[in-house]
């Protein structure tokens, strides 16, 4: 098997099954020798923000001299980055080796009529990798929801986190905040600490009930830890973090956006749990240095300076609302051209209206090659009164031709879109 054949095996699997269940995933892992039972995992879910929390926690722990694995999705540059060690994606040869390991089990399960999905295959590969390449901690990002996500076979994580709860993936998770929160709270395990970001009251109630049932220590933003003195700087978001261990810890995270403030607080609280587990004493300077150098592609990422071109994977109304707040604060007084590609199964109308209502923002809807699912198109753009250009490159060139030097051009609407656009600017 070569690298292309390994990817074909992975991406050739079905994306979803009709009935959500962990039975199939547990069977898959049992046939592989239960690799998920090895290692110390931090389990992170959330409608938005989980990727940023993973990146910040990773760099905080690496700053303490620890070796840290991560499991994230989707990838931005290359498939391999979904499984990484200290921020470095695994090699092509390692992808081939892992695919070769799981292939006979996949065939065996297919023959029995219970073949795994694509995400289950990738998750199993991740568990196999870290079982044979031990690290100090693995930060594991949930794919969708929590209860029935294939990562939720972890029995005793060091800590779990629910970063945000908002409307997204409603066909899978439910049509109310309570239902979505119930799915995300499914990652809470007996006696395992849980860190919760800024979530609606009804979500907090659901999460607290689940934590109480599992006798899991709970730390909630604005109750057990908080942030004050937030201000934007040219390099990121400056804030002062507070909890019982750090009465006033001032840091600046290199990840920009107002929504990164609470993400930073969640990462710091998780960091404290991990340090306690590893019996590490930390210093404020080490923490500040780690956060000041965090990098995470596609999160308000600057790729061109003049005119300023940004990439942001905001892909649901809650994420777009946070992005809009940042645009109004950080780029007020500048013309902002947003080039959006939005999957049709998202609440695209709300997302477009949220940005169009900002007085200095102009929205253009567009498309990109090989989206994972259908995109909204020209007819939809006409209904909302925004421009449509079928190919994002043409949309970009049209905007550039009329842009002033201090204008902002922002690509948003989907992480898949950002992944398609980003290589153009890297070249």
């Amino acid at each position: 098997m070569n690298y292309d054949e390994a990817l074909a095996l992975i991406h050739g699997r079905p994306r979803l099954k009709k009935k959500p269940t962990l039975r199939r995933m547990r069977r898959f892992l049992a046939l592989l020798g239960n690799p998920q039972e090895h290692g110390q995992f931090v389990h992170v879910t959330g409608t938005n923000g989980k990727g940023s929390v993973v990146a910040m926690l990773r760099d905080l722990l690496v700053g303490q001299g620890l070796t840290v694995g991560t499991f994230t999705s989707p990838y931005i540059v290359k498939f391999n980055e979904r499984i990484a060690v200290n921020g470095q994606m695994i090699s092509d040869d390692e992808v081939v080796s892992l695919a070769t390991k799981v292939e006979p089990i996949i065939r065996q399960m297919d023959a029995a009529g219970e073949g795994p999905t694509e995400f289950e295959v990738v998750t199993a590969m991740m568990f196999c990798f870290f079982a044979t390449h031990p690290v100090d901690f693995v930060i594991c990002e949930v794919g969708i929801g929590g209860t029935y996500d294939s990562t939720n076979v972890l029995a005793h994580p060091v800590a779990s986190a629910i970063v945000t709860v908002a409307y997204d993936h409603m066909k899978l998770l439910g049509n109310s905040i309570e239902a979505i929160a119930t799915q995300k709270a499914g990652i809470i395990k007996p006696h395992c600490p849980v860190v919760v970001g800024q979530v609606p009251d009804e979500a907090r109630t659901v999460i607290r009930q689940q934590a109480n049932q599992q006798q899991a220590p709970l730390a909630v933003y604005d109750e057990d830890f908080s942030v004050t003195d937030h201000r934007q700087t040219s390099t990121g978001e400056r804030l002062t973090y507070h909890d019982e261990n750090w009465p006033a810890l001032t840091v600046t995270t290199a990840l920009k956006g107002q929504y990164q403030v609470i993400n930073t607080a969640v990462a710091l609280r998780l960091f404290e749990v991990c340090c306690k587990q590893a019996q590490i004493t930390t210093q404020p300077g080490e923490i500040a240095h780690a956060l000041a150098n965090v990098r995470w592609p596609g999160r308000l990422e600057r790729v061109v300076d003049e005119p300023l071109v940004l990439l942001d994977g905001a892909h649901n109304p809650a994420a777009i609302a946070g992005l809009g707040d940042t645009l109004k604060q950080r780029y007020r007084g500048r013309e902002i051209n947003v080039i959006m590609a939005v999957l049709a199964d998202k609440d695209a109308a709300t997302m477009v209206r949220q940005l169009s209502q900002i007085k200095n923002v102009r929205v253009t809807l567009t498309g990109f090659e090989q989206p994972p699912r259908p995109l909204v198109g020209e007819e939809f753009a006409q209904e909302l009164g925004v421009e449509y250009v079928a190919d994002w490159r043409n949309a970009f060139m049209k905007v550039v031709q009329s842009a002033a030097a201090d204008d902002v051009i922002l690509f948003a609407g989907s992480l898949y879109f950002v992944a398609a656009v980003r290589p153009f600017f890297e070249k």
Side-chain angles (χ1 to χ4, degrees), residues 56 60 63 82 98 128 144 156 166 251 266 285 295 301 311 313 321 323 327 338 364 391:
M56 286 189 273
L60 285 165
R82 298 183 72 166
L98 292 166
C128 287
I144 295 176
H156 302 288
V251 296
V266 171
R295 297 292 180 269
E301 180 184 12
L311 309 179
L323 175 62
L327 294 179
V338 181
T364 300
D391 186 279

Side-chain angles (χ1 to χ4, degrees), residues 65-84:
L66 300 174
T67 304
V68 182
T70 51
F71 179 60
T72 56
S73 61
Y75 63 90
I76 299 296
V77 180
K78 188 175 182 178
F79 170 84
N80 307 35
E81 72 192 52
R82 298 183 72 166
I83 305 171

Side-chain angles (χ1 to χ4, degrees), residues 206-226:
V206 169
I207 294 167
R208 192 180 301 279
Q209 289 172 346
Q210 179 68 5
N212 289 339
Q213 289 175 9
Q214 301 291 343
Q215 298 181 30
L218 185 66
V220 179
Y221 179 78
D222 255 355
E223 294 181 14
D224 305 287
F225 61 101
S226 61

Side-chain angles (χ1 to χ4, degrees), residues 30 46 62 89-90 92 131 159 166 193 202 206 231 241 280 396 401 405 412 416:
V62 170
M89 70 178 77
I90 63 174
D92 290 358
E202 55 268 43
V206 169
R231 63 183 178 89
Y241 172 84
I280 291 174
F396 175 62
Q401 287 169 3
Y416 296 103

Side-chain angles (χ1 to χ4, degrees), residues 255-297:
L255 299 182
K256 296 179 181 179
Q258 289 187 229
Y259 46 87
Q260 296 295 3
V261 174
I262 298 170
N263 293 341
T264 303
V266 171
L268 284 168
R269 186 70 183 207
L270 284 171
F271 175 62
E272 291 183 81
V273 176
C274 292
C275 287
K276 183 177 180 181
Q277 176 73 16
Q279 298 182 333
I280 291 174
T281 301
T282 62
Q283 300 298 322
E286 296 168 340
I287 295 172
H289 178 77
L291 289 174
N293 291 280
V294 176
R295 297 292 180 269
W296 194 236

Side-chain angles (χ1 to χ4, degrees), residues 330-369:
R330 189 173 280 275
Y331 303 109
R332 60 180 178 271
R334 301 171 68 171
E335 291 299 314
I336 303 171
N337 297 277
V338 181
I339 302 173
M340 294 183 73
V342 186
L343 295 170
D345 59 1
K346 300 290 184 178
D347 187 359
T350 298
M351 295 163 63
V352 173
R353 290 190 184 105
Q354 284 172 315
L355 290 175
S356 298
Q357 289 169 359
I358 302 173
K359 64 180 181 180
N360 57 325
V361 168
R362 184 179 68 183
V363 174
T364 300
L365 282 172
T366 189
F368 63 100
E369 299 85 353

